[in-house]
Amino acid sequence: MDSVIALIDCQAFYVSCERVFDPALRGRPTVVLSNNDGCIIARSAAVKAAGVPMGAPVFKWRDELEAMDAAVLSSNYALYADLSRRVTAVLETMSIDLERYSIDECFVTLPALDRDALRALGERIRRRVRDWVGIPVRVAIGPTKSLAKIADEKAKADKRAGDGTGVYVCPPEPDLDVLLYRTDVGDVWGIGPSYEETLRGHGVTTAAEFRALPDPWIRSTMTVVGLRLARELRGQRCLDLDLVGPDRQSLVRSRSFGAPVEAKAELRQALAKHAQRAAEKLREEDLVARGISAFITTKTHGPPPHYADEAQAMLDEHTAAAPPFVRSSRRLLDAIYRAGPAYRKAGVMLYAIRPRRPHQGSLFGRPVQDDEALMQAVDRINGTMGRGTIGVAAAGLPGDRDWTMTRDNTSQHYTTRWDELPVARA
Protein backbone atom coordinates (compact mmCIF):
# COMPACT_ATOMS: atom_id res chain seq x y z
CA MET A 1 0.00 0.00 0.00
CA ASP A 2 1.60 3.27 -1.15
CA SER A 3 -0.75 5.60 0.73
CA VAL A 4 -2.80 5.85 3.93
CA ILE A 5 -6.05 7.61 4.80
CA ALA A 6 -6.24 10.55 7.20
CA LEU A 7 -9.44 11.96 8.65
CA ILE A 8 -9.22 15.67 9.39
CA ASP A 9 -11.92 16.51 11.92
CA CYS A 10 -12.53 20.12 12.98
CA GLN A 11 -13.12 20.34 16.73
CA ALA A 12 -16.46 21.84 17.85
CA PHE A 13 -16.48 23.44 14.42
CA TYR A 14 -19.25 26.04 14.74
CA VAL A 15 -17.91 27.17 18.12
CA SER A 16 -14.36 27.28 16.74
CA CYS A 17 -15.50 29.44 13.81
CA GLU A 18 -17.06 31.95 16.21
CA ARG A 19 -13.87 32.06 18.27
CA VAL A 20 -11.68 32.87 15.25
CA PHE A 21 -13.07 36.41 15.06
CA ASP A 22 -14.16 36.93 18.67
CA PRO A 23 -11.24 36.31 21.05
CA ALA A 24 -13.52 37.00 24.04
CA LEU A 25 -15.14 33.60 23.40
CA ARG A 26 -11.87 31.68 23.78
CA GLY A 27 -11.98 29.83 27.06
CA ARG A 28 -15.60 30.85 27.68
CA PRO A 29 -18.34 28.18 27.58
CA THR A 30 -20.15 28.59 24.24
CA VAL A 31 -23.09 27.03 22.41
CA VAL A 32 -24.46 27.59 18.91
CA LEU A 33 -28.17 27.17 18.24
CA SER A 34 -30.16 25.72 15.35
CA ASN A 35 -32.59 27.57 13.07
CA ASN A 36 -34.96 29.84 14.99
CA ASP A 37 -32.65 29.54 18.02
CA GLY A 38 -34.34 26.31 19.03
CA CYS A 39 -31.82 23.58 19.88
CA ILE A 40 -28.13 23.34 20.77
CA ILE A 41 -26.15 22.08 17.75
CA ALA A 42 -22.59 22.89 18.83
CA ARG A 43 -20.94 22.96 22.27
CA SER A 44 -17.56 23.95 23.59
CA ALA A 45 -15.64 21.46 25.71
CA ALA A 46 -16.75 23.14 28.96
CA VAL A 47 -20.42 22.86 28.00
CA LYS A 48 -20.01 19.19 27.09
CA ALA A 49 -18.28 18.54 30.42
CA ALA A 50 -21.22 20.16 32.21
CA GLY A 51 -23.51 17.51 30.75
CA VAL A 52 -25.46 19.65 28.27
CA PRO A 53 -26.51 17.20 25.51
CA MET A 54 -26.32 17.75 21.77
CA GLY A 55 -29.67 18.68 20.25
CA ALA A 56 -31.18 19.77 23.55
CA PRO A 57 -33.85 22.52 23.45
CA VAL A 58 -32.07 25.60 24.72
CA PHE A 59 -34.97 26.69 26.95
CA LYS A 60 -34.57 23.53 29.06
CA TRP A 61 -30.92 24.35 29.79
CA ARG A 62 -31.15 28.13 30.05
CA ASP A 63 -30.50 28.21 33.80
CA GLU A 64 -27.43 25.94 33.56
CA LEU A 65 -25.99 27.99 30.69
CA GLU A 66 -26.50 31.23 32.60
CA ALA A 67 -24.90 29.73 35.70
CA MET A 68 -21.71 28.96 33.78
CA ASP A 69 -21.84 32.35 31.96
CA ALA A 70 -22.05 30.62 28.60
CA ALA A 71 -22.23 32.57 25.35
CA VAL A 72 -25.37 31.56 23.43
CA LEU A 73 -25.08 32.30 19.70
CA SER A 74 -27.38 31.95 16.71
CA SER A 75 -26.04 29.93 13.78
CA ASN A 76 -24.09 31.83 11.11
CA TYR A 77 -23.94 29.33 8.25
CA ALA A 78 -22.33 31.72 5.77
CA LEU A 79 -19.34 32.11 8.10
CA TYR A 80 -19.09 28.38 8.78
CA ALA A 81 -19.23 27.45 5.09
CA ASP A 82 -16.54 29.97 4.18
CA LEU A 83 -14.14 28.81 6.92
CA SER A 84 -14.81 25.20 5.89
CA ARG A 85 -13.69 26.08 2.36
CA ARG A 86 -10.55 27.69 3.76
CA VAL A 87 -9.70 24.59 5.79
CA THR A 88 -10.14 22.47 2.67
CA ALA A 89 -7.87 24.78 0.67
CA VAL A 90 -5.11 24.40 3.28
CA LEU A 91 -5.45 20.61 3.29
CA GLU A 92 -5.16 20.49 -0.49
CA THR A 93 -1.65 21.95 -0.15
CA MET A 94 -0.51 19.02 1.99
CA SER A 95 -2.34 15.92 0.72
CA ILE A 96 -2.41 13.69 -2.35
CA ASP A 97 -6.20 13.56 -2.77
CA LEU A 98 -9.08 14.96 -0.76
CA GLU A 99 -12.72 14.04 -0.17
CA ARG A 100 -14.89 16.57 1.62
CA TYR A 101 -17.03 14.33 3.81
CA SER A 102 -19.00 17.04 5.64
CA ILE A 103 -18.69 20.71 6.54
CA ASP A 104 -16.23 19.84 9.33
CA GLU A 105 -14.60 16.60 8.13
CA CYS A 106 -12.34 15.65 5.22
CA PHE A 107 -10.67 12.41 4.21
CA VAL A 108 -7.25 12.86 2.59
CA THR A 109 -4.61 10.47 1.32
CA LEU A 110 -1.05 10.73 2.62
CA PRO A 111 2.16 8.87 1.72
CA ALA A 112 2.61 5.49 3.46
CA LEU A 113 5.42 6.56 5.81
CA ASP A 114 6.44 4.91 9.06
CA ARG A 115 4.33 5.63 12.11
CA ASP A 116 6.61 8.29 13.61
CA ALA A 117 6.83 10.13 10.28
CA LEU A 118 3.05 10.02 9.89
CA ARG A 119 2.60 11.37 13.39
CA ALA A 120 4.96 14.25 12.58
CA LEU A 121 3.09 14.92 9.31
CA GLY A 122 -0.19 14.94 11.22
CA GLU A 123 1.22 17.51 13.63
CA ARG A 124 2.29 19.71 10.70
CA ILE A 125 -1.22 19.51 9.22
CA ARG A 126 -2.77 20.39 12.57
CA ARG A 127 -0.46 23.38 13.08
CA ARG A 128 -0.88 24.69 9.54
CA VAL A 129 -4.68 24.67 9.68
CA ARG A 130 -4.57 26.37 13.10
CA ASP A 131 -2.03 28.98 11.96
CA TRP A 132 -3.56 29.74 8.56
CA VAL A 133 -7.29 29.51 9.36
CA GLY A 134 -7.53 29.52 13.16
CA ILE A 135 -9.52 26.28 13.43
CA PRO A 136 -8.30 23.46 15.73
CA VAL A 137 -8.44 20.03 14.10
CA ARG A 138 -7.76 16.40 14.93
CA VAL A 139 -5.75 14.29 12.51
CA ALA A 140 -6.46 10.54 12.60
CA ILE A 141 -4.51 8.24 10.28
CA GLY A 142 -5.08 4.62 9.28
CA PRO A 143 -4.74 2.29 6.31
CA THR A 144 -8.51 2.55 5.56
CA LYS A 145 -11.38 4.99 6.06
CA SER A 146 -12.96 2.83 8.77
CA LEU A 147 -9.72 2.58 10.73
CA ALA A 148 -9.16 6.33 10.35
CA LYS A 149 -12.61 6.85 11.92
CA ILE A 150 -11.65 4.64 14.86
CA ALA A 151 -8.34 6.49 15.16
CA ASP A 152 -10.31 9.76 15.35
CA GLU A 153 -12.32 8.49 18.32
CA LYS A 154 -9.06 7.44 19.99
CA ALA A 155 -7.52 10.87 19.32
CA LYS A 156 -10.63 12.54 20.76
CA ALA A 157 -10.55 10.38 23.90
CA ASP A 158 -6.81 10.91 24.43
CA LYS A 159 -7.12 14.67 24.12
CA ARG A 160 -10.10 14.77 26.46
CA ALA A 161 -8.00 12.87 29.00
CA GLY A 162 -5.09 15.30 28.55
CA ASP A 163 -2.93 12.62 26.92
CA GLY A 164 -2.52 13.81 23.34
CA THR A 165 -2.51 16.72 20.93
CA GLY A 166 -5.27 15.46 18.65
CA VAL A 167 -3.06 13.40 16.32
CA TYR A 168 -3.27 9.60 16.33
CA VAL A 169 -1.89 7.00 13.93
CA CYS A 170 -3.29 3.47 13.95
CA PRO A 171 -0.68 1.00 15.28
CA PRO A 172 0.31 -2.17 13.43
CA GLU A 173 -0.85 -5.62 14.51
CA PRO A 174 -1.11 -6.92 17.22
CA ASP A 175 -1.56 -3.49 18.85
CA LEU A 176 -4.30 -2.70 16.34
CA ASP A 177 -6.24 -5.71 17.58
CA VAL A 178 -5.97 -4.36 21.13
CA LEU A 179 -7.36 -0.99 19.97
CA LEU A 180 -10.28 -2.70 18.22
CA TYR A 181 -11.05 -4.82 21.31
CA ARG A 182 -11.41 -1.56 23.20
CA THR A 183 -13.81 -0.18 20.55
CA ASP A 184 -17.47 -0.94 21.10
CA VAL A 185 -19.11 -2.49 18.04
CA GLY A 186 -21.78 0.22 18.13
CA ASP A 187 -19.06 2.87 17.69
CA VAL A 188 -17.86 1.42 14.39
CA TRP A 189 -18.56 3.76 11.47
CA GLY A 190 -21.33 2.23 9.36
CA ILE A 191 -22.89 -0.04 12.00
CA GLY A 192 -26.29 1.36 12.83
CA PRO A 193 -28.67 0.45 15.68
CA SER A 194 -30.25 -2.46 13.76
CA TYR A 195 -26.95 -4.17 12.91
CA GLU A 196 -25.62 -3.42 16.39
CA GLU A 197 -28.59 -5.23 17.91
CA THR A 198 -28.07 -8.21 15.59
CA LEU A 199 -24.36 -8.44 16.41
CA ARG A 200 -24.92 -8.18 20.15
CA GLY A 201 -27.52 -10.92 19.85
CA HIS A 202 -24.73 -13.15 18.52
CA GLY A 203 -22.33 -12.16 21.31
CA VAL A 204 -20.32 -9.69 19.23
CA THR A 205 -19.59 -6.59 21.33
CA THR A 206 -16.29 -5.19 19.98
CA ALA A 207 -14.87 -4.13 16.62
CA ALA A 208 -12.23 -6.85 16.89
CA GLU A 209 -14.86 -9.56 17.34
CA PHE A 210 -16.83 -8.20 14.39
CA ARG A 211 -13.91 -8.26 11.95
CA ALA A 212 -13.06 -11.84 13.06
CA LEU A 213 -16.47 -13.18 11.99
CA PRO A 214 -16.58 -15.50 8.95
CA ASP A 215 -17.13 -13.69 5.65
CA PRO A 216 -20.14 -15.83 4.58
CA TRP A 217 -21.97 -15.05 7.84
CA ILE A 218 -21.28 -11.32 7.54
CA ARG A 219 -22.45 -11.20 3.93
CA SER A 220 -25.63 -13.17 4.55
CA THR A 221 -26.51 -11.15 7.66
CA MET A 222 -25.24 -7.65 6.78
CA THR A 223 -24.99 -7.82 2.96
CA VAL A 224 -21.94 -6.82 1.00
CA VAL A 225 -21.86 -3.48 2.82
CA GLY A 226 -21.11 -5.21 6.13
CA LEU A 227 -18.49 -7.40 4.47
CA ARG A 228 -16.70 -4.34 3.09
CA LEU A 229 -16.74 -2.78 6.54
CA ALA A 230 -15.23 -5.91 8.14
CA ARG A 231 -12.50 -6.01 5.52
CA GLU A 232 -11.78 -2.31 6.12
CA LEU A 233 -11.23 -3.13 9.79
CA ARG A 234 -8.80 -5.85 8.70
CA GLY A 235 -6.78 -3.21 6.84
CA GLN A 236 -8.07 -3.98 3.34
CA ARG A 237 -9.13 -0.78 1.61
CA CYS A 238 -12.64 -1.16 0.17
CA LEU A 239 -13.93 2.42 0.43
CA ASP A 240 -11.96 4.72 -1.85
CA LEU A 241 -12.03 8.48 -1.57
CA ASP A 242 -14.89 10.08 -3.48
CA LEU A 243 -12.92 12.72 -5.37
CA VAL A 244 -15.74 13.85 -7.66
CA GLY A 245 -18.89 13.37 -5.60
CA PRO A 246 -22.19 11.94 -6.78
CA ASP A 247 -24.27 13.79 -9.35
CA ARG A 248 -26.84 16.00 -7.66
CA GLN A 249 -30.37 14.71 -8.18
CA SER A 250 -32.26 17.48 -6.40
CA LEU A 251 -31.73 20.74 -4.55
CA VAL A 252 -33.91 21.79 -1.61
CA ARG A 253 -34.17 25.24 -0.06
CA SER A 254 -36.50 25.69 2.90
CA ARG A 255 -36.64 27.37 6.29
CA SER A 256 -38.91 27.35 9.29
CA PHE A 257 -40.58 30.69 9.93
CA GLY A 258 -39.63 32.76 12.94
CA ALA A 259 -43.35 33.13 13.71
CA PRO A 260 -46.46 31.44 12.27
CA VAL A 261 -47.48 32.79 8.87
CA GLU A 262 -51.09 32.97 7.68
CA ALA A 263 -50.98 35.55 4.87
CA LYS A 264 -50.64 34.19 1.35
CA ALA A 265 -48.54 37.19 0.36
CA GLU A 266 -45.88 36.27 2.92
CA LEU A 267 -45.84 32.65 1.76
CA ARG A 268 -45.48 33.86 -1.81
CA GLN A 269 -42.54 36.02 -0.78
CA ALA A 270 -40.87 33.18 1.14
CA LEU A 271 -41.18 30.76 -1.79
CA ALA A 272 -39.77 33.39 -4.15
CA LYS A 273 -36.79 33.89 -1.84
CA HIS A 274 -36.14 30.15 -1.65
CA ALA A 275 -36.49 29.75 -5.43
CA GLN A 276 -34.04 32.61 -5.97
CA ARG A 277 -31.47 31.08 -3.61
CA ALA A 278 -31.91 27.62 -5.16
CA ALA A 279 -31.20 29.09 -8.60
CA GLU A 280 -28.08 30.80 -7.21
CA LYS A 281 -26.91 27.43 -5.89
CA LEU A 282 -27.43 25.88 -9.33
CA ARG A 283 -25.23 28.55 -10.91
CA GLU A 284 -22.56 28.12 -8.25
CA GLU A 285 -22.36 24.40 -9.12
CA ASP A 286 -22.66 24.99 -12.91
CA LEU A 287 -25.94 23.07 -13.08
CA VAL A 288 -29.37 23.64 -14.57
CA ALA A 289 -32.78 22.25 -13.61
CA ARG A 290 -36.18 21.94 -15.19
CA GLY A 291 -38.50 20.74 -12.41
CA ILE A 292 -39.67 22.61 -9.33
CA SER A 293 -41.76 21.52 -6.36
CA ALA A 294 -43.17 23.93 -3.77
CA PHE A 295 -44.43 22.89 -0.34
CA ILE A 296 -45.99 24.49 2.74
CA THR A 297 -46.73 22.95 6.13
CA THR A 298 -48.17 23.84 9.51
CA LYS A 299 -46.83 22.43 12.76
CA THR A 300 -47.29 18.66 12.97
CA HIS A 301 -48.09 18.43 16.69
CA GLY A 302 -50.34 20.22 19.10
CA PRO A 303 -53.85 21.61 18.53
CA PRO A 304 -55.21 21.58 14.96
CA PRO A 305 -55.54 22.65 12.24
CA HIS A 306 -52.72 20.59 10.72
CA TYR A 307 -52.11 20.89 7.01
CA ALA A 308 -49.32 20.22 4.51
CA ASP A 309 -49.28 20.03 0.74
CA GLU A 310 -46.96 20.31 -2.22
CA ALA A 311 -47.24 20.72 -5.97
CA GLN A 312 -44.77 20.44 -8.80
CA ALA A 313 -44.28 21.61 -12.36
CA MET A 314 -41.85 21.33 -15.26
CA LEU A 315 -40.42 24.36 -17.04
CA ASP A 316 -40.15 24.55 -20.81
CA GLU A 317 -36.34 24.57 -20.65
CA HIS A 318 -33.53 23.60 -18.30
CA THR A 319 -32.24 26.76 -16.68
CA ALA A 320 -30.37 28.21 -13.69
CA ALA A 321 -32.11 31.59 -13.90
CA ALA A 322 -34.23 32.67 -10.95
CA PRO A 323 -37.25 34.30 -12.71
CA PRO A 324 -38.75 31.11 -14.23
CA PHE A 325 -38.56 29.28 -10.89
CA VAL A 326 -40.01 32.27 -9.02
CA ARG A 327 -42.94 32.51 -11.45
CA SER A 328 -43.60 28.78 -11.11
CA SER A 329 -43.50 28.97 -7.29
CA ARG A 330 -46.30 31.56 -7.37
CA ARG A 331 -48.50 29.35 -9.54
CA LEU A 332 -47.79 26.31 -7.38
CA LEU A 333 -48.72 28.19 -4.22
CA ASP A 334 -52.08 29.07 -5.76
CA ALA A 335 -52.74 25.33 -6.13
CA ILE A 336 -51.88 24.32 -2.55
CA TYR A 337 -52.67 27.35 -0.36
CA ARG A 338 -55.50 27.00 2.12
CA ALA A 339 -56.66 30.00 4.13
CA GLY A 340 -56.89 29.62 7.89
CA PRO A 341 -53.96 27.48 9.10
CA ALA A 342 -50.86 29.10 10.58
CA TYR A 343 -47.94 27.86 8.49
CA ARG A 344 -44.56 27.13 10.06
CA LYS A 345 -42.42 26.22 7.07
CA ALA A 346 -42.23 26.60 3.28
CA GLY A 347 -39.70 25.67 0.65
CA VAL A 348 -38.90 24.57 -2.87
CA MET A 349 -37.13 21.60 -4.40
CA LEU A 350 -35.52 21.73 -7.84
CA TYR A 351 -35.16 18.47 -9.74
CA ALA A 352 -34.46 17.14 -13.25
CA ILE A 353 -30.95 18.53 -12.72
CA ARG A 354 -28.06 18.12 -15.12
CA PRO A 355 -24.74 19.87 -15.83
CA ARG A 356 -24.97 23.16 -17.66
CA ARG A 357 -23.87 22.73 -21.28
CA PRO A 358 -25.14 23.61 -24.77
CA HIS A 359 -28.20 21.55 -25.59
CA GLN A 360 -31.11 21.33 -27.97
CA GLY A 361 -33.80 23.76 -26.85
CA SER A 362 -37.54 23.29 -26.95
CA LEU A 363 -39.28 24.32 -30.16
CA PHE A 364 -41.95 26.19 -28.20
CA GLY A 365 -39.95 27.36 -25.20
CA ARG A 366 -38.76 30.95 -24.79
CA PRO A 367 -35.06 31.66 -25.37
CA VAL A 368 -33.07 31.59 -22.15
CA GLN A 369 -30.19 33.81 -23.30
CA ASP A 370 -31.76 36.96 -21.86
CA ASP A 371 -32.30 35.31 -18.46
CA GLU A 372 -28.72 34.02 -18.46
CA ALA A 373 -27.30 37.48 -19.22
CA LEU A 374 -29.42 38.97 -16.44
CA MET A 375 -28.25 36.35 -13.94
CA GLN A 376 -24.61 36.95 -14.87
CA ALA A 377 -25.09 40.65 -14.12
CA VAL A 378 -26.84 39.86 -10.82
CA ASP A 379 -24.06 37.46 -9.78
CA ARG A 380 -21.37 40.05 -10.59
CA ILE A 381 -23.10 42.69 -8.46
CA ASN A 382 -23.68 40.32 -5.55
CA GLY A 383 -20.14 39.00 -5.85
CA THR A 384 -18.76 42.53 -5.59
CA MET A 385 -21.17 44.12 -3.13
CA GLY A 386 -22.22 41.10 -1.08
CA ARG A 387 -24.91 38.43 -1.33
CA GLY A 388 -28.43 39.82 -1.32
CA THR A 389 -27.49 43.24 -2.70
CA ILE A 390 -29.78 42.65 -5.65
CA GLY A 391 -32.47 40.05 -6.30
CA VAL A 392 -35.97 39.46 -7.62
CA ALA A 393 -38.58 41.91 -6.39
CA ALA A 394 -40.99 39.09 -5.51
CA ALA A 395 -38.63 38.00 -2.71
CA GLY A 396 -39.03 41.36 -0.95
CA LEU A 397 -36.45 43.45 0.86
CA PRO A 398 -34.53 42.03 3.84
CA GLY A 399 -36.06 44.47 6.30
CA ASP A 400 -39.60 43.69 5.17
CA ARG A 401 -39.48 39.90 5.60
CA ASP A 402 -41.37 39.37 8.84
CA TRP A 403 -41.40 35.60 8.22
CA THR A 404 -37.63 35.09 8.38
CA MET A 405 -35.98 32.88 10.99
CA THR A 406 -35.41 34.05 14.52
CA ARG A 407 -31.66 34.58 14.99
CA ASP A 408 -31.24 37.07 17.79
CA ASN A 409 -27.54 36.50 18.48
CA THR A 410 -25.91 36.08 15.08
CA SER A 411 -22.28 37.11 14.78
CA GLN A 412 -21.07 39.28 11.93
CA HIS A 413 -20.50 37.83 8.47
CA TYR A 414 -16.81 38.58 8.83
CA THR A 415 -15.68 37.00 5.55
CA THR A 416 -18.68 37.33 3.21
CA ARG A 417 -20.01 40.90 3.60
CA TRP A 418 -17.99 44.03 2.98
CA ASP A 419 -19.90 46.04 5.59
CA GLU A 420 -19.20 43.41 8.28
CA LEU A 421 -15.47 42.93 7.86
CA PRO A 422 -13.59 42.68 11.19
CA VAL A 423 -11.93 45.88 12.32
CA ALA A 424 -8.55 45.88 14.06
CA ARG A 425 -7.76 48.84 16.29
CA ALA A 426 -4.19 49.59 17.28
Side-chain angles (χ1 to χ4, degrees):
M1 188 178 294
D2 59 357
S3 65
V4 294
I5 304 291
L7 175 62
I8 317 298
D9 190 356
C10 300
Q11 299 174 204
F13 181 58
Y14 291 175
V15 171
S16 296
C17 290
E18 298 288 353
R19 288 174 168 174
V20 168
F21 294 100
D22 188 352
L25 296 176
R26 299 171 192 174
R28 182 183 177 188
T30 304
V31 299
V32 176
L33 305 181
S34 63
N35 293 342
N36 289 312
D37 292 347
C39 298
I40 297 168
I41 58 173
R43 306 159 296 164
S44 66
V47 175
K48 294 177 185 177
V52 179
M54 176 69 82
V58 67
F59 75 89
K60 290 187 176 182
W61 292 85
R62 186 74 66 182
D63 292 343
E64 290 83 353
L65 294 173
E66 290 179 355
M68 67 177 80
D69 189 31
V72 180
L73 303 174
S74 303
S75 50
N76 185 343
Y77 296 119
L79 175 66
Y80 309 152
D82 187 60
L83 289 184
S84 176
R85 286 191 291 268
R86 296 182 185 211
V87 170
T88 300
V90 173
L91 296 177
E92 287 175 336
T93 69
M94 302 187 70
S95 62
I96 303 171
D97 292 312
L98 180 145
E99 174 194 337
R100 185 173 177 177
Y101 180 62
S102 67
I103 193 171
D104 61 348
E105 290 179 292
C106 289
F107 287 107
V108 303
T109 54
L110 301 175
L113 308 173
D114 64 62
R115 196 177 183 211
D116 288 340
L118 284 172
R119 189 180 295 108
L121 179 56
E123 290 289 352
R124 287 207 304 276
I125 293 172
R126 186 184 63 82
R127 286 195 301 270
R128 180 173 293 188
V129 174
R130 186 64 184 258
D131 292 345
W132 291 16
V133 187
I135 300 294
V137 301
R138 289 189 302 274
V139 182
I141 303 173
T144 68
K145 277 185 170 182
S146 298
L147 289 173
K149 272 285 192 178
I150 287 176
D152 184 45
E153 292 301 317
K154 173 64 173 171
K156 184 189 302 184
D158 286 351
K159 190 166 186 182
R160 190 183 301 121
D163 186 26
T165 63
V167 176
Y168 185 81
V169 182
C170 275
E173 301 286 5
D175 292 337
L176 176 58
D177 200 51
V178 174
L179 173 63
L180 295 179
Y181 265 110
R182 294 173 179 171
T183 302
D184 190 275
V185 70
D187 293 334
V188 174
W189 183 48
I191 293 183
S194 178
Y195 281 148
E196 180 184 358
E197 183 180 356
T198 299
L199 290 169
R200 291 190 186 280
H202 287 80
V204 178
T205 61
T206 70
E209 292 170 339
F210 167 62
R211 73 168 183 167
L213 291 170
D215 285 359
W217 186 92
I218 296 175
R219 179 158 189 164
S220 65
T221 306
M222 303 176 63
T223 74
V224 69
V225 175
L227 183 57
R228 287 177 186 151
L229 180 54
R231 289 178 174 174
E232 284 259 314
L233 295 179
R234 298 167 190 162
Q236 178 183 343
R237 192 176 300 173
C238 300
L239 304 173
D240 291 327
L241 266 62
D242 187 352
L243 304 179
V244 178
D247 293 336
R248 183 187 281 277
Q249 302 298 313
S250 63
L251 194 162
V252 178
R253 293 294 302 181
S254 67
R255 288 289 186 272
S256 298
F257 299 130
V261 170
E262 296 183 9
K264 186 177 181 180
E266 290 186 307
L267 291 173
R268 186 182 297 120
Q269 191 180 78
L271 289 175
K273 175 66 172 143
H274 295 321
Q276 174 181 262
R277 180 64 189 120
E280 289 177 359
K281 190 67 175 175
L282 285 178
R283 298 195 297 275
E284 290 172 5
E285 299 182 15
D286 205 24
L287 300 171
V288 291
R290 191 179 175 197
I292 177 173
S293 170
F295 58 90
I296 53 177
T297 181
T298 65
K299 61 184 179 180
T300 56
H301 303 288
H306 299 154
Y307 175 72
D309 203 357
E310 63 93 21
Q312 51 191 310
M314 297 294 287
L315 306 183
D316 292 331
E317 300 279 354
H318 279 82
T319 184
F325 293 118
V326 171
R327 288 192 292 268
S328 289
S329 73
R330 294 168 67 93
R331 291 192 293 269
L332 294 174
L333 179 62
D334 290 338
I336 61 178
Y337 174 74
R338 178 187 296 176
Y343 295 95
R344 299 307 303 258
K345 187 175 184 179
V348 302
M349 179 181 74
L350 305 187
Y351 58 96
I353 294 176
R354 64 165 178 77
R356 183 183 181 276
R357 59 177 181 269
H359 64 284
Q360 179 66 46
S362 168
L363 178 62
F364 302 104
R366 64 184 294 271
V368 299
Q369 287 83 357
D370 292 344
D371 282 341
E372 290 179 350
L374 174 63
M375 291 298 100
Q376 290 173 5
V378 167
D379 291 342
R380 282 197 299 271
I381 293 172
N382 287 335
T384 302
M385 304 304 296
R387 176 178 291 169
T389 301
I390 187 171
V392 295
L397 298 174
D400 297 332
R401 297 173 186 148
D402 297 332
W403 47 268
T404 52
M405 290 188 302
T406 300
R407 290 195 288 184
D408 293 332
N409 297 297
T410 308
S411 55
Q412 291 178 219
H413 297 76
Y414 298 104
T415 65
T416 55
R417 293 185 183 175
W418 286 107
D419 58 341
E420 297 188 17
L421 291 177
V423 176
R425 294 182 174 84

